[in-house]
């Protein structure tokens, strides 16, 4: 099995346990279901998000007897998957979700795909119909291994109860090591019901799975040489740095080199936003300085990033003057989108630690980069094109202002989970992220409905931290039922609904590229509003649903805020309530837009600082 291998598991020869020394085996006579719960206890799983159903039901009986595994009964399997992802992102541990066969399992497909895109360590456990019924179109049967093969790091079909401990041990090991990712374990119902023996630690063997963590010394030395020789380097930092726990090392490397740092959407918080070397987030809605720094750079030191299309824009025009150092633990990412002059396969923490030593050696030998002119340009761009927004002329709430004030008034170690769309980009820009694992979002898949269940999972994993979900009114209507789960399970998250009465990012594209024909993006009124509507007013209309009443019905404290003068007081009241979930319906102006912006399919050279505002860099094309 390769680093990204997938497919139904075939029995393998027994060998030593993956990772760590052997311990004396513990043998118990149990059912397969009891073996599953005991295995979860042994691998350190303390929280499972799920819903019982026929095929997985045998596993739910022994779960009642476990004092180590807490089960959180969600309202939809998608909520279970996103909650497990939020738990994993906030804690650094493997998230666990559980569902029954057929529709229960297929409802996990979206969060599994989401975790796969964002490299989140996740183990999804599903029940399957009895082994003899597999392939017969039995009641609630679905080939979930086949369905999820392209979106899991690996998956297993277990029909023999003796294989359960080994499979769980391997699943957690695969999910958490190398490039993290989701692993599915599908267990036939008769395997859960049958008598077996539980042995721990199990004998495991993963013969093709050997992630390379230590980088090649020659490549490291070559990267260090390019860094000190370059005139316009940029540290292009992706989510892999966060996954590797390499944020402290990154800060040392950045300050040692003196190079500017740009952190992708998945890497926010891996380098302090307030640090003078941080030039912002790159990409379609990145800061002008970050986007332009990459375009004008002569060297990209790419750490745990994958040259995603949202960062590069039109790929063949991206960073045209730059040589590329590309370090990633997944060799499949290197050269996939952009050829690397210096490819480095390895764990980001190991890579950065070795780079620090190599750059220091270059400095000791009298070789040091001079980036004075580069910083003069960067600082001019920062001063000329800072992030900002205009307040609505009619005195209504600005969504950017709402999000900015939430960030200013929240405790320092607050965790933020965002949905997808305009509010996601505003939350990325207008909240300061100083620490790792304080920003959770669906970056690769762009999953609407992510925020509420992800915030729930984060709060379950970090109960002493404040957790805010920044959500849009469109996203909120996809998974808000998990507020019931929060209310009943003492998971007091806080939710800000940025309510502009529309699918905001889609509406923005309709404004810019579809002649303001707002087809089916208006949420607050009936069908007559989904044609050409008058722009320029605050959202409101019939307010169906009424988010305050809906949230109160689900056991939450709920408030509405429409007046900027009340903004701080409402946020402070929400911050003071910690015994139940809080939801605030912020009625904001519907025409607010996300800027800067690079239109899809165009070059990053075409970045617009604001609508109708094209940056003038005052340089030559060949600079």
């Amino acid at each position: 099995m390769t680093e990204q291998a997938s497919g139904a598991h075939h029995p393998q020869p027994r060998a030593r346990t993956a990772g760590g020394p052997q311990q004396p085996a513990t043998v118990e006579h149990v059912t397969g279901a009891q073996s599953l719960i005991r295995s979860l206890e042994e691998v350190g799983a303390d929280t499972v998000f799920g819903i019982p159903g026929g095929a997985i039901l045998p596993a739910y009986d022994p779960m009642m007897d476990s004092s180590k595994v807490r089960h959180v009964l969600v309202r939809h399997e998608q909520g279970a998957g996103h909650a497990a992802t939020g738990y994993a992102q906030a804690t650094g541990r493997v998230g666990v979700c559980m569902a029954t066969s057929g529709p229960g399992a297929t409802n996990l497909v979206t969060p599994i795909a989401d975790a796969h895109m964002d490299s989140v360590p996740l183990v999804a456990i599903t029940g399957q119909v009895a082994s003899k019924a597999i392939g017969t179109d039995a009641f609630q049967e679905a080939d979930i291994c086949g369905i999820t093969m392209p979106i899991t790091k690996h998956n297993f079909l277990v029909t023999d109860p003796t294989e359960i401990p080994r499979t769980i041990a391997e699943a957690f090991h695969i999910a958490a090591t190398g490039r993290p990712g989701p692993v599915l374990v599908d267990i036939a119902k008769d395997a859960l019901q049958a008598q077996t023996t539980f042995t721990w630690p199990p004998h495991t063997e993963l013969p093709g799975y050997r992630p390379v963590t230590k980088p090649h010394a020659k490549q490291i030395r070559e990267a260090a040489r390019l860094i000190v020789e370059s005139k316009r380097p940029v540290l292009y930092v992706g989510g892999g740095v966060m996954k590797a726990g390499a944020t402290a090392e990154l800060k040392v490397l950045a300050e040692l080199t003196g190079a500017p740092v740009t952190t992708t959407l998945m890497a926010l918080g891996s380098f302090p936003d307030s640090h003078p070397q941080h030039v912002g987030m790159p990409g379609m809605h990145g800061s002008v300085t970050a986007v332009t720094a990459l375009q004008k750079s002569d060297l990209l030191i790419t750490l745990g990033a994958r040259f995603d299309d949202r960062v590069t824009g039109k790929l063949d025009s991206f960073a045209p003057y730059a040589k590329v150092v590309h370090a990633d633990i997944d060799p499949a990412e290197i050269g996939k989108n952009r050829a690397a002059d210096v490819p480095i396969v390895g764990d980001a923490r190991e890579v950065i630690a070795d780079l620090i030593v190599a750059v220091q050696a270059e400095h000791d030998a009298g070789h040091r980069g001079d980036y004075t002119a580069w910083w003069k340009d960067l600082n001019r761009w920062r001063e000329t094109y800072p992030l900002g927004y205009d307040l609505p002329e009619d005195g209504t709430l600005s969504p950017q202002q709402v999000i900015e004030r939430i960030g200013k008034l929240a405790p320092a170690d607050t965790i933020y989970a965002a949905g997808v769309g305009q509010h996601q980009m505003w939350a990325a820009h207008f909240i300061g992220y100083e620490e790792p694992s304080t920003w959770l979002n669906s970056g690769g898949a762009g999953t609407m409905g992510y925020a509420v269940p992800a915030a729930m999972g984060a709060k379950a994993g970090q109960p002493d931290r404040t957790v805010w979900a920044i959500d849009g009114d469109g996203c909120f209507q996809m998974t808000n039922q998990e507020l019931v789960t929060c209310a009943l399970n003492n998971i007091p998250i806080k939710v800000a609904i940025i309510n502009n009465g529309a699918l905001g990012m889609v509406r923005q594209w309709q404004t810019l590229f579809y002649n303001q024909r707002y087809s089916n993006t208006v949420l607050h009124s009936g069908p007559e509003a989904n044609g050409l509507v008058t722009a320029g007013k605050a959202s409101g209309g019939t307010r169906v649903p009424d988010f305050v009443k809906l949230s109160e019905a689900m056991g939450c404290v709920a408030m509405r805020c429409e007046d900027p003068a009340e903004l701080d007081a409402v946020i402070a009241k929400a911050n003071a309530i910690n015994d139940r979930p809080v939801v605030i319906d912020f009625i904001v102006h519907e025409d607010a837009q996300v800027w800067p912006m690079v239109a899809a399919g165009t070059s990053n050279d075409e970045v617009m600082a604001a609508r109708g505002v094209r940056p003038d860099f005052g340089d030559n094309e060949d600079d």
Side-chain angles (χ1 to χ4, degrees):
M1 185 174 65
T2 63
E3 161 67 10
Q4 292 296 313
S6 287
H9 175 74
H10 299 286
Q12 299 174 355
R14 295 190 168 208
R16 65 185 300 278
T17 304
Q22 285 285 284
Q23 302 293 328
T26 300
V27 180
E28 302 172 23
H29 295 281
V30 293
T31 64
Q34 290 171 318
S35 179
L36 171 62
I37 303 306
R38 289 283 286 111
S39 299
L40 290 174
E41 292 175 342
E42 292 292 342
V43 294
D46 59 12
T47 306
V48 175
F49 302 91
I51 303 179
I56 195 66
L57 196 57
Y60 272 80
D61 186 66
M63 199 182 301
M64 285 189 72
D65 302 321
S66 176
S67 60
K68 296 179 181 179
V69 178
R70 175 195 187 190
H71 182 271
V72 177
L73 176 62
V74 299
R75 266 49 193 170
H76 191 287
E77 289 88 358
Q78 183 180 351
H82 291 320
T85 292
Y87 173 97
Q89 289 176 314
T91 65
R93 301 192 294 271
V94 176
V96 187
C97 55
M98 189 176 287
T100 197
S101 63
T106 58
N107 279 343
L108 287 177
V109 169
T110 294
I112 288 171
D114 181 274
H116 184 62
M117 288 285 279
D118 288 346
S119 304
V120 178
L122 185 77
V123 171
I125 300 168
T126 53
Q128 184 53 274
V129 299
S131 54
K132 289 184 179 179
I134 292 175
T136 69
D137 290 336
F139 178 67
Q140 289 192 335
E141 182 189 358
D143 177 10
I144 196 62
C145 285
I147 290 167
T148 62
M149 188 178 292
I151 56 169
T152 49
K153 190 174 176 184
H154 189 60
N155 61 38
F156 300 84
L157 173 60
V158 182
T159 57
D160 181 350
T162 63
E163 297 294 319
I164 290 173
R166 180 179 61 77
T167 303
I168 293 298
E170 289 181 357
F172 275 73
H173 178 69
I174 294 168
T177 55
R179 179 180 181 172
V183 177
L184 178 105
V185 180
D186 194 33
I187 310 176
K189 185 174 184 178
D190 54 326
L192 291 170
Q193 293 172 318
Q195 289 293 316
T196 184
T197 56
F198 172 78
T199 303
W200 198 271
H203 296 282
T204 65
E205 182 174 312
L206 299 169
Y209 182 68
R210 297 288 185 271
V212 174
T213 58
K214 189 70 177 171
H216 195 288
K218 181 182 177 182
Q219 301 299 86
I220 291 289
R221 289 195 299 271
E222 178 65 11
R225 183 185 67 79
L226 289 179
I227 289 171
V228 298
E229 289 181 355
S230 65
K231 300 296 184 185
R232 300 187 301 277
V234 177
L235 286 162
Y236 163 24
V237 177
V241 170
M242 196 97 72
K243 300 290 190 299
T247 56
E249 289 81 0
L250 172 64
K251 190 167 184 285
V252 172
L253 177 65
E255 293 177 347
L256 178 65
T257 62
V261 179
T262 179
T263 50
T264 68
L265 184 68
M266 292 305 299
L268 295 181
S270 60
F271 190 76
D273 276 1
S274 61
H275 196 286
Q277 286 173 244
H278 191 251
V279 295
M281 181 181 77
M284 173 179 278
H285 291 294
S287 72
V288 169
T289 306
V291 171
T292 308
L294 293 174
Q295 289 301 97
K296 305 296 185 184
S297 172
D298 65 358
L299 178 67
L300 301 184
I301 306 105
T302 308
L303 304 170
R306 56 189 178 86
F307 292 90
D308 173 71
D309 63 286
R310 280 301 191 259
V311 168
T312 66
K314 187 179 179 183
L315 188 60
D316 59 11
S317 67
F318 175 68
Y321 317 112
K323 290 185 177 181
V324 173
V325 173
H326 191 181
D328 203 290
I329 198 163
D330 183 359
E333 288 296 346
I334 297 177
K336 185 180 79 174
N337 293 328
R338 172 70 177 257
D341 297 278
V342 182
I344 304 174
V345 178
D347 178 81
R349 192 171 185 178
E350 301 259 17
V351 169
I352 297 171
D354 286 1
L355 270 177
I356 291 167
V357 174
V359 171
Q360 188 63 60
E362 291 283 349
H363 289 181
D364 292 344
H367 308 141
R368 188 180 293 267
D370 180 5
Y371 313 139
T372 306
W374 183 220
W375 273 110
K376 185 177 179 181
D377 286 339
L378 293 165
N379 287 329
R380 185 176 76 250
W381 300 334
R382 274 204 288 210
E383 292 165 9
T384 308
Y385 304 106
L387 291 171
Y389 57 89
D390 295 322
L391 295 175
E393 294 180 0
D394 60 4
T396 53
L397 270 180
S398 155
Q400 300 98 318
Q401 182 185 27
V402 169
I403 292 167
E404 186 174 52
R405 294 309 297 164
I406 289 172
K408 294 287 187 186
L409 296 173
D413 63 350
T414 295
I415 296 169
Y416 301 90
V420 170
Q422 288 182 315
H423 63 280
Q424 176 190 26
M425 295 297 103
W426 290 323
H429 281 316
F430 296 110
I431 294 174
Y433 301 98
E434 300 297 308
E435 300 292 336
S437 302
T438 53
W439 164 249
L440 319 179
N441 83 126
S442 172
T447 307
M448 291 181 69
Y450 169 90
V452 169
M456 175 175 72
K459 183 67 174 176
Q462 299 279 15
D464 297 329
R465 307 264 298 269
T466 299
V467 180
W468 270 97
I470 311 293
D471 218 1
D473 48 329
C475 289
F476 182 73
Q477 291 185 69
M478 293 196 171
T479 52
N480 61 61
Q481 66 270 27
E482 298 311 332
L483 288 172
V484 175
T485 311
C486 292
L488 295 177
N489 288 275
N490 189 29
I491 306 175
I493 65 171
K494 306 179 196 304
V495 182
I497 306 173
I498 308 302
N499 184 357
N500 62 0
L503 298 173
M505 188 63 87
V506 186
R507 177 186 167 87
Q508 177 168 333
W509 281 46
Q510 289 173 333
T511 300
L512 298 175
F513 308 120
Y514 292 87
N515 298 315
Q516 300 182 40
R517 289 168 56 85
Y518 300 117
S519 172
N520 289 280
T521 49
V522 177
L523 295 173
H524 61 77
S525 299
E528 71 281 357
N530 282 319
L532 295 173
V533 284
T534 303
K537 63 182 185 306
S539 71
T542 55
R543 288 185 185 158
V544 177
D546 183 320
F547 292 132
V548 171
K549 292 179 180 178
L550 177 63
S551 300
E552 288 176 342
M554 291 189 284
C556 304
V557 175
M559 297 172 267
R560 179 172 289 118
C561 182
E562 302 181 66
D563 185 348
E566 299 173 356
L567 181 59
D568 281 15
V570 170
I571 295 170
K573 183 176 179 181
N575 281 328
I577 298 170
N578 293 302
D579 62 345
R580 69 196 80 176
V582 183
V583 178
I584 307 177
D585 183 17
F586 291 102
I587 308 298
V588 301
H589 200 278
E590 69 181 0
D591 287 331
Q593 294 187 346
V594 180
W595 297 98
M597 182 175 181
V598 178
T602 66
S603 169
N604 282 357
D605 289 326
E606 307 296 317
V607 62
M608 301 291 287
R611 190 172 184 183
V613 179
R614 180 79 177 277
D616 178 8
F617 300 109
D619 56 4
N620 297 321
E621 283 296 312
D622 58 353
D623 186 356

